[in-house]
Amino acid sequence: MMTSVNIAGVDFKNPVMTASGTFGSGREYSKFVDLNRLGGVVVKGVASKEWLGNPAPRIAETYGGMLNAVGLQNPGVDVFIEEDIPFLRQYDTNIIVNIAGKTVEEYVEVAKRLRDADIDMIELNISCPNVKEGGVAFGTDPKMAEYVTSEVKKYAKQPLIVKLSPNVTDITEIARAVEAGGADAVSLINTLLGMKIDIYKRKPILANRVGGFSGPAIKPVAVRMVNQVYNSIKLPIIGLGGICTGEDAIEFILAGATGVAVGTANFSNPRATIDVVEGIERYMDVMGVGDVNELIGNID
Ligand SMILES: Cc1cc2nc3c(=O)[nH]c(=O)nc-3n(C[C@H](O)[C@H](O)[C@H](O)COP(=O)(O)O)c2cc1C
C-alpha cells in the first residue's frame, strides 16, 4: 500500500499533518503521538518578534466546534529557530513553518530568517481573523494576496504554501491570485469568523468579541472550498477544517486535496493525527486502493 505523496517537490510519507496553532511545535503532543508517523508537523504561527496575543477569554466552545481569538501569540522566529527546529529534527517528519506578519515587511523578515533554517516548507498565513492588521486583510483582497505572496516568494528558500481564508465570497479568486503570485501550494481553510454571546451578561464571550470558528461543524464548508479550488488552479492543495477521522481525511482527498491537516480534533483527542493515518490505511485496505494518489480529486 502506498501512502506517500509529493507536495511541491517535498515527499511526505503520508498525507497527514498537524494544523498550525493546534499542535504547538509538537513537544507537548510527543508524549501521546509518535511524530515519526506523521507526514509533517505544521507549527504555530511564527512572527519576526514576540507577539503577546489577545486578552482572555479567548476560547469558547460551540456545537461541533470552537471559537478562538488567541491572536497568534508566539515567542518570535529566533526562539523558534533555536528551540523548536532541533526538537522537531529528531523525528523523521517534514517541518512546515507557518509564518505571520502585520505588514508585508514582517512576513518577508521571517522568510529571510528561515532561509538557512533546516525546515522543509513555509506556510504563509494571510488568513487569521483575530489580528487587527495584516492577517485576514491580506487574505481577502486578491491584489494584496498576490502581492504578499510574490514578495515572500522572492526571499523564501523553501517551497511556499499559502493558507487561504474562507471569509470571502469567492475563494477561487484568491486561490488564482496566490497562484499568480508564485505560491507552490495552497492550504485551506483557516477559521471562519464567528461570535458567541453570553445572553445573561448580554455581551460577547470572547474579549476580542469575534473569533475563528473551527472543528467538525465547518467540515462541509471546507470540503466545498477545497473542491472549488481544485477545479480552479493547478497547485497542490492541503485540505483542513474539521478533520477528526480517516474518513474525514478521505473526503478531502476525494475533493482534491493532496495533503490533509488535523486541527481542533487534537484538543479533544491528542492521538487524532494517528487515528487519521490509520483510518486512511484502513479505508485503502477495505476499498482495495493501492496508492493514495489515485484518490486525489477522484469523484464524479
Ligand atoms: C487555537 C487555534 C489556533 C490557531 N492558530 C493558527 C495559526 O497560528 N496560524 C494559522 O495559519 N492557523 C491557525 N489556526 C487555524 C487552524 O490551523 C485551522 O486552519 C482551523 O482551525 C481549521 O481546522 P480544524 O477545524 O481542523 O481546526 C488556529 C486554530 C485554532 C483552533
Side-chain angles (χ1 to χ4, degrees):
M1 181 189 301
M2 192 165 115
T3 57
S4 58
V5 294
N6 184 288
I7 301 175
V10 179
D11 287 321
F12 287 72
K13 66 177 70 164
N14 62 54
V16 183
M17 14 192 145
T18 62
S20 175
T22 65
F23 206 77
S25 287
R27 212 180 288 270
E28 295 79 5
Y29 283 92
S30 62
K31 297 184 187 81
F32 309 100
V33 174
D34 177 5
L35 302 182
N36 296 302
R37 306 271 318 270
L38 304 182
V41 172
V42 183
V43 305
K44 172 76 186 159
V46 180
S48 58
K49 289 186 274 310
E50 184 184 12
W51 287 13
L52 294 179
N54 290 325
R58 47 193 206 175
I59 298 274
E61 274 191 57
T62 63
Y63 295 118
M66 65 181 274
L67 289 173
N68 93 83
V70 172
L72 297 178
Q73 180 176 347
N74 77 95
V77 67
D78 291 327
V79 174
F80 174 77
I81 290 174
E82 221 163 277
E83 294 178 6
D84 294 318
I85 297 177
F87 167 77
L88 283 169
R89 263 302 167 237
Q90 300 173 78
Y91 299 94
D92 176 23
T93 191
N94 287 320
I95 304 175
I96 298 130
V97 183
N98 181 280
I99 70 174
K102 294 186 176 114
T103 61
V104 174
E105 291 72 28
E106 272 183 27
Y107 282 111
V108 165
E109 207 180 313
V110 185
K112 279 184 180 166
R113 287 285 293 122
L114 290 169
R115 276 184 71 80
D116 298 321
D118 186 11
I119 61 167
D120 299 286
M121 299 180 94
I122 289 178
E123 181 180 64
L124 179 62
N125 177 13
I126 54 166
S127 40
C128 182
N130 315 314
V131 288
K132 281 199 182 63
E133 309 118 275
V136 80
F138 291 113
T140 53
D141 174 352
K143 281 202 185 69
M144 281 302 291
E146 180 175 345
Y147 177 64
V148 66
T149 303
S150 63
E151 284 300 299
V152 172
K153 180 68 190 166
K154 269 190 217 162
Y155 299 98
K157 200 166 95 189
Q158 300 83 5
L160 182 65
I161 307 162
V162 180
K163 185 162 178 180
L164 306 181
S165 170
N167 301 309
V168 291
T169 313
D170 180 3
I171 196 161
T172 65
E173 207 184 3
I174 309 289
R176 282 194 301 270
V178 305
E179 185 176 51
D184 299 296
V186 292
S187 56
L188 63 146
I189 59 175
N190 208 314
T191 53
L192 289 144
L193 199 55
M195 187 177 189
K196 185 174 180 180
I197 295 170
D198 181 327
I199 58 166
Y200 298 102
K201 292 186 185 147
R202 297 191 184 183
K203 58 181 228 178
I205 288 181
L206 298 176
N208 193 51
R209 299 184 75 87
V210 295
F213 179 35
S214 64
I218 73 167
K219 197 186 82 179
V221 177
V223 171
R224 182 259 295 177
M225 289 186 160
V226 165
N227 193 240
Q228 281 181 312
V229 170
Y230 179 72
N231 290 320
S232 306
I233 62 171
K234 296 206 167 57
L235 301 179
I237 299 170
I238 298 163
L240 72 161
I243 296 177
C244 301
T245 65
E247 286 87 347
D248 295 334
I250 294 290
E251 214 177 314
F252 276 83
I253 295 169
L254 290 171
T258 303
V260 291
V262 181
T264 300
N266 292 307
F267 296 136
S268 49
N269 170 16
R271 285 180 49 82
T273 44
I274 301 296
D275 288 353
V276 172
V277 171
E278 290 175 354
I280 292 173
E281 288 169 358
R282 212 164 33 243
Y283 172 88
M284 290 174 65
D285 191 24
V286 170
M287 299 295 286
V289 177
D291 178 352
V292 75
N293 291 281
E294 287 167 24
L295 299 171
I296 300 168
N298 200 349
I299 48 170
D300 292 337

